[in-house]
Amino acid sequence: MAVPAELWAVWERISRRRPLVHCITNPVTVNDCANVLLAAGARPFMAAHPDEVEEVQRHADALVVNMGAIAQLDSIGKAARQAAERGHPIIVDPVGVAASSLRRRSCIALLKEFPVACVRGNGAEIRALLGDTGTARGVDASSEDAASAHETAVQLARRYGCVAVASGAVDAVTDGRRTFSVGNGDAMMARVTGMGCMLSSLLGAAFAVENSLRAAAAVCAVVGLSGEQAAAGTCAARRGPAYFRDLFVDTLFSLDEAQFMGGAKYSEG
């Protein structure tokens, strides 16, 4: 059983080592993804042109691929090949694969061709990758998805030999043998676009300093706890989602060890 201090140590190492994280991500959330990486102490590089991604990846420490960047499949392939050759961890966010056959086929091909370190999606997205079939009409998770998150995440992790994170009210984080359940978070997080994209980007930073199941659990707990605290601050100020988004980034930046030790909600089993 990992103790909170071990999880916090992974998060703290990001700000000490300041990994360069190459993101080919969703254009809807690219600014938010860059900002949370900076708040964590990492260095973002949001490069997607096919003529530059290989050069960028050579100097990076991790690659984050978001299927919302579906128009950049050529760039994704080039960057993933470069990352694999250099042993950089590859993080895949399968956003929208439950509703788009193009994204689903492309993501499955990516998982089959390259040694992906971590896949993070909601329950519907994880299930869609297992069955190569549509399971939703949009990109949001449903309560039904959350109920089966654990089992589908374990299956995906075993199939592709990676860490799988199924986000929901309780995040299931597994490598197919061990599983963390992370219970931090707040309903307000679903009122802001891109929370999942931001989590995936931060997973890139964490895997750059420690390629492990523990690193994924640490990031889920930090993001969920920051969401809880930002939601409480938003409620106290009687403000809404836009205020929450800014406060979330500030909370992520200022979260300390004592807050994490007292607030992280996770179990392993």
Side-chain angles (χ1 to χ4, degrees):
M1 173 90 178
V3 299
E6 293 175 337
L7 300 188
W8 178 255
V10 177
W11 178 255
E12 201 174 43
R13 208 174 305 148
I14 294 173
S15 59
R16 289 206 309 271
R17 291 183 49 182
R18 303 197 66 225
L20 181 63
V21 183
H22 178 198
C23 299
I24 303 177
T25 191
N26 194 330
V28 176
T29 61
V30 61
N31 188 58
D32 292 324
C33 292
N35 280 330
V36 295
L37 284 168
L38 288 168
R43 296 174 294 151
F45 201 142
M46 323 308 270
H49 195 286
D51 292 341
E52 68 173 353
V53 292
E54 292 170 295
E55 179 184 9
V56 171
Q57 192 58 52
R58 279 198 294 273
H59 301 290
D61 298 299
L63 172 66
V64 178
V65 171
N66 184 305
M67 297 314 294
I70 193 63
Q72 306 294 339
L73 286 178
D74 184 31
S75 297
I76 288 172
K78 287 183 175 180
R81 188 164 294 103
Q82 187 67 225
E85 289 176 1
R86 293 179 175 273
H88 299 163
I90 302 172
I91 313 301
V92 174
D93 186 326
V95 61
V97 300
S100 163
S101 56
L102 173 60
R103 294 190 191 193
R104 190 164 57 252
R105 289 196 306 270
S106 301
C107 191
I108 291 173
L110 187 71
L111 294 175
K112 289 181 176 178
E113 183 172 358
F114 299 105
V116 170
C118 179
V119 179
R120 189 224 60 84
N122 62 42
E125 291 160 351
I126 298 296
R127 191 163 63 251
L129 291 176
L130 286 170
D132 190 13
T133 184
T135 58
R137 297 178 61 190
V139 299
D140 297 327
S142 69
S143 56
E144 181 185 357
D145 298 327
S148 60
H150 182 123
E151 179 59 30
T152 54
V154 168
Q155 291 181 42
L156 190 81
R158 289 176 178 170
R159 179 174 298 182
Y160 294 108
C162 65
V163 171
V165 178
S167 298
V170 176
D171 296 333
V173 185
T174 181
D175 60 4
R177 301 182 304 276
R178 300 167 57 202
T179 300
F180 286 94
S181 297
V182 181
N184 291 105
D186 188 274
M188 179 63 83
M189 299 172 76
R191 305 297 291 270
V192 176
T193 188
M195 291 302 302
C197 301
M198 289 184 258
L199 174 56
S200 296
S201 298
L202 291 168
L203 285 168
F207 273 69
V209 301
E210 182 177 307
N211 189 338
S212 72
L213 175 66
R214 185 173 60 179
V219 172
C220 289
V222 166
V223 168
L225 183 55
S226 296
E228 289 176 10
Q229 297 190 0
T234 301
C235 182
R238 299 186 178 185
R239 302 293 295 273
Y243 183 90
F244 167 82
R245 182 179 57 193
D246 289 346
L247 190 55
F248 170 78
V249 177
D250 287 347
T251 305
L252 192 76
F253 171 78
S254 62
L255 192 72
D256 60 30
E257 183 174 4
Q259 291 172 316
F260 182 83
M261 300 288 274
K265 303 170 189 170
Y266 74 94
S267 60
E268 182 182 356

